[in-house]
Amino acid sequence: MAVVGLVAVDPALADAHNATAIGTAFCDSSMAQTIQNLFTVIQFGGPLIGGVLALGATVAIPTIRRADMKKELKEVRNQGVIWGVIVAPLATTILGFILNNVVAGGTSCGF
């Protein structure tokens, strides 16, 4: 029984010694690069698209005569402000905290 315990625990001990190497390897992987690219898209694309939609709707509202169309444009403006100006920067802060503090194998990738 003790032999089985040594054999079963030995790979886990080997992984504990190589945790830093695994974390560093993850930071150099294409998955980490993909996560960083997604992070950049959210960080810069969200406020840009949301701001353009909100500004475009705000400019277009006075030129529209139909009340139902004005209501739709006001909703577009509100959603652009909410998602692009409020949620995207907040999500960027939260994702930055997670990616910098929740580490893979004891190594922070520094997103």
Side-chain angles (χ1 to χ4, degrees):
M1 191 59 119
V3 174
V4 173
L6 286 174
V7 173
V9 173
D10 190 39
L13 290 174
D15 284 345
H17 295 296
N18 293 326
T20 304
I22 292 169
T24 304
F26 173 74
C27 290
D28 295 333
S29 70
S30 60
M31 177 141 184
Q33 183 64 38
T34 302
I35 292 170
Q36 187 174 13
N37 290 343
L38 182 62
F39 179 70
T40 304
V41 166
I42 292 171
Q43 183 178 9
F44 297 112
L48 180 66
I49 292 170
V52 167
L53 285 174
L55 183 61
T58 302
V59 169
I61 287 172
T63 64
I64 303 297
R65 290 181 180 233
R66 292 180 25 203
D68 60 335
M69 185 65 92
K70 280 189 178 192
K71 186 175 180 181
E72 291 291 327
L73 285 173
K74 287 179 183 178
E75 186 64 29
V76 168
R77 179 192 61 198
N78 293 342
Q79 291 298 316
V81 169
I82 290 170
W83 288 99
V85 179
I86 297 171
V87 174
L90 184 62
T92 300
T93 305
I94 292 169
L95 283 174
F97 174 77
I98 290 171
L99 292 174
N100 286 324
N101 295 311
V102 178
V103 294
T107 302
S108 177
C109 295
F111 293 113

